[in-house]
Amino acid sequence: MENPFKPTAGATPPDIIGRQGLLDEFAYGLRIRSGAPGLLTIFTGARGVGKTVMLGAAENTARTQGWAVISETATHGFLGRIGNAMGEFADELGDGPSGRKITGVTVAGFGVTTHLPPEKQVEWRETGARLLRLLDSRGTGLVITVDEIHAADRQEIAQLAADVQHFIREGLPIGLVFAGLPAAVSDLLNEGVATFLRRADRIDLHGASIEEVQRSYEQTFAAGGFPLEPALAAAAAEATGGYPFLIQLVGYFLWQEAEEASELTAAHVEHAVAAAHRRNERVVIEAALSSASHRDLDFLRAMAEDDDASSVGDIGARIVAKPNTIGNYRSRLIDAGLIEPAGYGIVRFAIPGLREHLRENR
């Protein structure tokens, strides 16, 4: 059995821990096909918590029920690329037999890399409506997933939301699933850019319980022929903090240890955990900190002096900054997904290991 752990952004892990039931409303909506609340879903959570994995799970659920799926990331021009994909689907279905269902499509040569002009917006909606009517006649529909909407151009998001709302009013089978950082998603919904999306089923993703992680490790390693004693599985699980990306990293490196050892020991777990945390620092923490200013880092280092959540007032006193300035730093760091609110005037780190990294790299 090859190493089943997938510590790569968006890769499907061997066991999606602690996510049971999160897609029930979405799956039910696929059966109803038009107007079901679950067909409008937004996944939010910190970096590495598994938002992209959940998008993939939603896509797989839709495909198993015969729905067409368009998967996009909210980089510049994503709305035009969705339009091109819809056109490809519509052309394929239009030439096929009435009972045909789409299983996949390759879209190349995306011609649109700027905002859609008015005439293109009309064409986009007409193409979507044509596709949805074809799918409706076959008893299925279309699901569009968009990742990283915190980086999206507001005009494109607003246009997408307006068109999807129009399709829903016409009773056409359309689903829209987003993923993004919590604070940025809140800002998007509160700005009025896409008021319609406030009705979406918002699912805030958090870490799994340590007990669930331990159980998953024991079962996965046993299936691979590498028995993992409960105490060792518990130690490995505890080191992840229930954080999905670390769950994959620790499992990945521990599997490597198991391939070389006749029997796993505490030393093997320690080696795997150390390697996982080093990789998490490089891939997640350092990347997240790369856009932070010197004053942002001062704010974060002041937070790192606390062993738990931090008072914004205490942070201001430590770095000698006025309340309005501290408020700006706080907002910017929340938008960046580095910290998160933990109560009135209280913040905490949003990424596991960030506190320790800051303490070690003063």
Side-chain angles (χ1 to χ4, degrees):
M1 181 175 174
E2 293 184 357
N3 194 328
F5 293 95
K6 309 294 182 185
T8 303
T12 302
D15 186 12
I16 302 179
I17 306 170
R19 302 289 193 249
Q20 295 82 0
L22 291 187
L23 287 174
D24 287 353
E25 281 297 320
F26 176 75
Y28 182 67
L30 293 172
R31 288 168 49 199
I32 295 177
R33 292 197 311 118
S34 181
L39 289 181
L40 284 176
T41 297
I42 300 176
F43 291 109
T44 68
R47 298 175 191 275
V49 82
K51 299 183 294 296
T52 304
V53 169
M54 290 306 299
L55 285 186
E59 292 164 7
N60 291 338
T61 300
R63 289 190 182 101
T64 59
Q65 297 199 31
W67 282 53
V69 173
I70 296 175
S71 175
E72 260 299 337
T73 299
T75 52
H76 191 59
F78 77 91
L79 188 60
R81 297 194 297 272
I82 291 173
N84 281 356
M86 290 193 301
E88 293 276 348
F89 272 134
D91 290 343
E92 181 180 335
L93 269 182
D95 294 334
S98 61
R100 183 177 183 179
K101 293 182 180 180
I102 295 175
T103 58
V105 67
T106 299
V107 184
F110 306 134
V112 182
T113 57
T114 59
H115 298 312
L116 297 181
E119 65 274 13
K120 282 292 184 181
Q121 292 175 16
V122 172
E123 182 181 336
W124 195 102
R125 183 175 291 185
E126 289 175 349
T127 299
R130 178 165 66 98
L131 170 61
L132 290 170
R133 291 189 185 102
L134 285 168
L135 291 167
D136 193 29
S137 69
R138 289 158 171 78
T140 61
L142 171 68
V143 168
I144 298 171
T145 68
V146 185
D147 201 2
E148 299 186 8
I149 61 166
H150 48 271
D153 180 280
R154 295 299 194 255
Q155 286 182 283
E156 291 193 87
I157 285 288
Q159 186 63 51
L160 176 60
D163 288 329
V164 168
Q165 185 175 22
H166 177 80
F167 296 147
I168 292 173
R169 284 203 304 265
E170 288 192 4
L172 295 172
I174 182 75
L176 185 59
V177 186
F178 285 148
L181 296 173
V185 168
S186 295
D187 288 346
L188 173 68
L189 300 183
N190 292 333
E191 282 176 2
V193 172
T195 306
F196 153 72
L197 294 177
R198 292 181 188 174
R199 291 177 244 162
D201 186 11
R202 177 166 173 168
I203 299 175
D204 295 312
L205 300 176
H206 300 283
S209 74
I210 302 304
E211 291 76 15
E212 287 178 309
V213 179
Q214 176 183 342
R215 190 180 313 117
S216 176
Y217 277 162
E218 290 178 9
Q219 294 172 352
T220 303
F221 277 84
F226 303 125
L228 188 60
E229 293 182 5
L232 298 180
E238 188 70 32
T240 71
Y243 183 57
F245 187 57
L246 271 176
I247 292 171
Q248 296 307 305
L249 281 172
V250 171
Y252 178 81
F253 287 112
L254 189 55
W255 192 278
Q256 285 188 334
E257 296 283 341
E259 290 176 334
E260 301 295 328
S262 58
E263 182 181 354
L264 286 170
T265 66
H268 293 121
V269 173
E270 290 174 7
H271 292 159
V273 168
H277 281 278
R278 286 195 300 269
R279 180 67 63 87
N280 186 58
E281 283 196 23
R282 291 198 304 272
V283 174
V284 177
I285 295 175
E286 291 178 4
L289 290 174
S290 62
S291 60
S293 70
H294 290 301
R295 291 300 278 169
D296 288 337
L297 290 173
D298 288 341
F299 186 106
L300 294 171
R301 291 186 183 109
M303 279 184 66
E305 294 181 22
D306 297 315
D307 294 327
D308 203 341
S310 301
S311 161
V312 174
D314 289 346
I315 296 168
R318 289 169 190 168
I319 66 174
V320 191
K322 295 179 180 178
N324 61 330
T325 303
I326 285 294
N328 291 334
Y329 295 151
R330 173 187 176 277
S331 298
R332 192 159 61 230
L333 291 168
I334 289 175
D335 289 344
L338 289 164
I339 66 173
E340 59 188 11
Y344 183 75
I346 305 294
V347 290
R348 64 187 169 210
F349 289 110
I351 303 176
L354 180 53
R355 185 195 319 277
E356 293 73 18
H357 176 83
L358 291 165
R359 286 178 174 178
E360 293 170 2
N361 297 273
R362 289 184 177 277

